[in-house]
Amino acid sequence: MKKSQLSLLIAALIGATLFGCQLTDTGSVASKKSVNSDSMFANTQSVIPFDDKLRRKWGAAVVSDLDQNGWEDVITTQHGANALIYWNDKGTFSEPVVLIKGDTHGLGVSDYNSDGKIDIIVAQGGGDGGNPRRPVYFSVNKDRTIERLGTFDHFRPGRGRGIKFIDSDQDADLDVFVTGYAPKNVKSLTTNQLYQNVNGALEHPITLAIPHDALSMKALTTDVNNDGKTDVIVYGGGDLTLSLGKGDGTYTDATASVFGALANVKQVSSITEIDYDNDGDFDLLFTRAPLQFEEEAYYDPEQKNLAFFAFRDKFMFDNLKTEGDNLILENIQETWATYDIQLGKSRKVVEAERSEHYTEGRLVVKPEQAMGWPDGEKLKGLHIGYLGNSTWRVGGYVKSRLAAVIKNVVSQPKEIKRKPMAPYLLENQNGQFVDVTQKMGIMMKAQTMHAAAGDFNNDGFMDLAVTPYGNMAHPVKHLVYMNQAGNGFKKVENAGLDSIEVGATGVGITTIDYDQDGRLDLIYGNERGRWYLAENQLSGESLGQYIVVNVGPSAKNNAQPIGARVDVEACGKKLSQLVGASGEGYHHMLKARLHFGLGACHLVDRIKVTWPNGDMQNLTNLASGQTVNF
């Protein structure tokens, strides 16, 4: 297919207007390297040197300019193993640098103490409640050296989940909101608390509106009613709560008045802020999927794969007929190896071939190794037995999470699939939310894990990239929905966000213009899978103009940028974003480089930045295709 034909095809798929524009030399899309692909995005190879190990994750990739060189770096979390930093040198990324090892959960990135260095606060897991811990914190120097400064020993210990930053009292510095489970044998549901920043020290914790469900441990900081004060939505379990900021460090519970019956929407997995209709207030997309607490099984007859998941319970599959002499299991992953893998009537203990950090494993079992099936004693661990005539039995009991893929299955095993659970798109109407999901064409029925908003074709309207939960027997295909000028969304049939691993489920997706060519790219990943960087393949003929607004501390009071509002007025459009916004409920990214599509507009009339403390700055008459620094 010729490049011109490809451009027209993709433009038709996304319903974009062909602007026929030429951008300025700064950030020119003409500098984009050509990739022979019929898809909107294409997975890159080795641009970010992600390894090919299949690992557990904790949330989406974190995108922030940690060394303050003007290029966004990337942090990934490998749950139970480490958090890794990839430094960005003008579109080329370093080999990974270990930030922290161990049971790493949510990350918060900001300069919360206003010393000119970027800080990273890391929530730590609590050993399933038996080893409650507190967050640790780091400082990143501009030469990329990292200092581990200690642990917040005065914080309430627990099973850490998320870190969020808020200027709750509008004093120009950032307070810290932490979420988590309480330790075992503690009556309180959560450890969700806001710690006030007093001269750089985090103290005087207050408790915001507590959800009825302890699984509500994710958070979104936003401005629901456009009053310039940051509000907090806590979600993730059977309900959600909205704490409305007063601007003096205190909050009121406005859940019922703002959400009404929508507050009872269950199993919200992420909330993504998006002004999809450019009316100046922030709408919300709810993705929905429960945590992995139930048994699952999926079968792909074409590839002959049976993928399964078990959690703290017994499990047993129908007798499996296979082709070939041996039984092969791949991507065997257990949260922690509480029990063994045992073969046959004799319960012979074996060990799968494991990769680094004991993530995925592979096991080949010969019939003579696994003759018969144990009886009498209670099953413990993963049991495999050969029953003769190419027939196998797989079952057992685990105290943690166990997942694997059984290869070459030719019988039709019983499947245990997740129920449909559609997302919600909520329009903000004068500070109250209304369900417009079907009206706007968001027709997904399957469960979804995460979403990110960004203007992928620079037409002046924010689009959506969505991570589905997926079918474990198939690779996960992440999705793109293009905004049709605020009148609805249209799914891109060939988005190109295709994984290759089996036995994984979707985790998250993050926008980044990694090479600053004026096109938003995507980083996405899968639980028990890989990380991917996908490059935006839209040609110049399919793209509108753009401008990038990079927000730092305010000139007047050194107010930190997280939570700052940026309004762009151009050719009759008004576009709005908040610094630090993403669909990630555990991490808080210092996403201070905001990308605005402008459509056919070459001149921006005005850019206004309003920091959370009220500091304000305006610039006028700016050419498109450039980065403007505040």
Side-chain angles (χ1 to χ4, degrees), residues 399-413:
K399 282 190 174 181
S400 59
R401 288 179 174 85
L402 171 68
V405 179
I406 305 174
K407 310 291 292 184
N408 304 323
V409 176
V410 294
S411 57
Q412 177 65 55

Side-chain angles (χ1 to χ4, degrees), residues 20-58:
C21 63
Q22 292 183 354
L23 303 186
T24 60
D25 289 339
T26 302
S28 170
V29 299
S31 66
K32 189 76 171 183
K33 66 180 181 181
S34 176
V35 176
N36 183 18
S37 172
D38 291 340
S39 61
M40 185 176 177
F41 291 88
N43 290 334
T44 61
Q45 300 294 326
S46 303
V47 174
I48 304 180
F50 297 137
D51 64 30
D52 60 359
K53 299 293 190 298
L54 308 182
R55 303 182 189 273
R56 294 183 296 123
K57 309 286 191 293
W58 190 272

Side-chain angles (χ1 to χ4, degrees), residues 53-281:
K53 299 293 190 298
L54 308 182
R55 303 182 189 273
R56 294 183 296 123
K57 309 286 191 293
W58 190 272
V62 174
V63 171
S64 301
D65 183 5
L66 303 174
D67 56 3
Q68 304 181 64
N69 69 347
W71 296 78
E72 291 177 317
D73 310 301
V74 174
I75 311 175
T76 62
T77 56
Q78 290 59 239
H79 184 201
N82 54 39
L84 302 176
I85 297 175
Y86 298 85
W87 303 108
N88 187 346
D89 284 308
K90 298 181 178 180
T92 300
F93 287 83
S94 71
E95 291 295 321
V97 173
V98 175
L99 171 66
I100 185 174
K101 293 183 179 181
D103 193 10
T104 301
H105 291 182
L107 307 176
V109 181
S110 75
D111 179 10
Y112 78 89
N113 58 6
S114 303
D115 66 352
K117 300 177 183 179
I118 301 301
D119 306 303
I120 305 175
I121 300 177
V122 182
Q124 299 186 96
D128 200 32
N131 180 29
R133 295 192 293 172
R134 299 170 173 89
V136 296
Y137 58 110
F138 300 82
S139 180
V140 182
N141 298 306
K142 292 182 179 180
D143 64 359
R144 297 181 176 172
T145 56
I146 302 170
E147 299 175 72
R148 179 166 178 161
L149 300 179
T151 302
F152 290 119
D153 293 327
H154 60 292
F155 277 31
R156 184 177 173 184
R159 290 175 271 184
R161 291 300 184 261
I163 302 289
K164 295 288 177 175
F165 295 102
I166 314 167
D167 186 357
S168 66
D169 48 5
Q170 298 188 302
D171 64 351
D173 57 24
L174 294 174
D175 313 305
V176 175
F177 181 56
V178 298
T179 70
Y181 280 152
K184 289 182 177 179
N185 302 318
V186 174
K187 293 181 180 180
S188 300
L189 283 173
T190 71
T191 52
N192 296 353
Q193 291 193 299
L194 174 65
Y195 290 83
Q196 302 284 343
N197 188 332
V198 181
N199 298 320
L202 301 173
E203 50 192 47
H204 307 310
I206 64 171
T207 301
L208 305 189
I210 297 179
H212 298 295
D213 189 342
L215 294 178
S216 293
M217 55 193 180
K218 298 181 180 181
L220 171 74
T221 60
T222 185
D223 185 358
V224 168
N225 52 7
N226 276 352
D227 65 352
K229 302 175 181 65
T230 302
D231 311 311
V232 183
I233 302 173
V234 177
Y235 65 94
D239 61 353
L240 58 83
T241 57
L242 168 63
S243 297
L244 213 60
K246 293 183 177 181
D248 60 357
T250 64
Y251 289 80
T252 58
D253 187 344
T255 309
S257 61
V258 171
F259 281 104
L262 292 168
N264 298 318
V265 173
K266 298 184 184 302
Q267 310 300 345
V268 177
S269 53
S270 76
I271 302 180
T272 301
E273 180 185 278
I274 174 175
D275 183 9
Y276 79 87
D277 48 5
N278 290 346
D279 66 352
D281 54 25

Side-chain angles (χ1 to χ4, degrees), residues 449-572:
M449 289 297 297
H450 192 259
D455 189 350
F456 302 128
N457 60 348
N458 292 343
D459 68 346
F461 291 89
M462 295 285 276
D463 312 305
L464 288 165
V466 181
T467 293
Y469 181 83
N471 178 321
M472 288 176 57
H474 297 267
V476 181
K477 291 191 174 186
H478 299 244
L479 311 171
V480 172
Y481 283 80
M482 299 302 293
N483 191 332
Q484 306 300 295
N487 298 311
F489 288 84
K490 185 176 182 180
K491 181 182 176 182
V492 177
E493 294 303 324
N494 189 11
L497 306 176
D498 299 341
S499 312
I500 61 173
E501 62 268 25
V502 177
T505 55
V507 163
I509 194 162
T510 310
T511 60
I512 181 174
D513 183 2
Y514 81 91
D515 53 2
Q516 298 188 13
D517 69 346
R519 302 178 179 136
L520 283 179
D521 311 301
L522 292 166
I523 299 173
Y524 64 96
N526 301 315
E527 174 72 356
R528 301 182 303 274
R530 296 178 170 88
W531 293 107
Y532 295 84
L533 169 65
E535 199 168 47
N536 190 326
Q537 298 300 296
L538 290 180
S539 65
E541 294 87 354
S542 302
L543 287 164
Q545 304 290 335
Y546 74 95
I547 197 162
V548 173
V549 182
N550 190 41
V551 183
S554 69
K556 184 177 180 181
N557 289 301
N558 197 36
Q560 293 306 304
I562 280 186
R565 178 182 176 118
V566 179
D567 294 301
V568 174
E569 298 175 19
C571 298

Side-chain angles (χ1 to χ4, degrees), residues 329-481:
L329 288 85
E330 294 182 347
N331 199 7
I332 306 170
Q333 297 205 33
E334 190 174 4
T335 308
W336 63 87
T338 52
Y339 293 127
D340 302 308
I341 300 175
Q342 301 180 34
L343 304 183
K345 187 178 181 67
S346 64
R347 298 175 179 261
K348 179 183 178 181
V349 176
V350 296
E351 176 68 26
E353 294 180 7
R354 302 278 183 170
S355 65
E356 183 186 7
H357 298 304
Y358 294 92
T359 53
E360 84 277 17
R362 187 175 191 271
L363 182 66
V364 178
V365 183
K366 299 177 180 179
E368 58 269 24
Q369 294 176 302
M371 299 297 294
W373 187 256
D375 51 25
E377 296 181 50
K378 182 179 178 180
L379 298 179
K380 292 183 179 181
L382 172 61
H383 287 255
I384 301 169
Y386 181 68
L387 307 182
N389 194 27
S390 299
T391 302
W392 300 78
R393 183 177 295 169
V394 177
Y397 173 83
V398 289
K399 282 190 174 181
S400 59
R401 288 179 174 85
L402 171 68
V405 179
I406 305 174
K407 310 291 292 184
N408 304 323
V409 176
V410 294
S411 57
Q412 177 65 55
K414 179 183 177 181
E415 294 186 280
I416 308 171
K417 293 185 177 181
R418 289 191 163 208
K419 298 177 181 179
M421 191 173 287
Y424 281 79
L425 179 63
L426 306 183
E427 182 180 336
N428 189 334
Q429 297 182 358
N430 299 315
Q432 294 182 315
F433 289 102
V434 177
D435 181 7
V436 294
T437 312
Q438 293 190 2
K439 177 183 175 182
M440 290 296 107
I442 304 293
M443 305 305 291
M444 292 174 279
K445 293 183 179 180
Q447 294 184 14
T448 47
M449 289 297 297
H450 192 259
D455 189 350
F456 302 128
N457 60 348
N458 292 343
D459 68 346
F461 291 89
M462 295 285 276
D463 312 305
L464 288 165
V466 181
T467 293
Y469 181 83
N471 178 321
M472 288 176 57
H474 297 267
V476 181
K477 291 191 174 186
H478 299 244
L479 311 171
V480 172
Y481 283 80

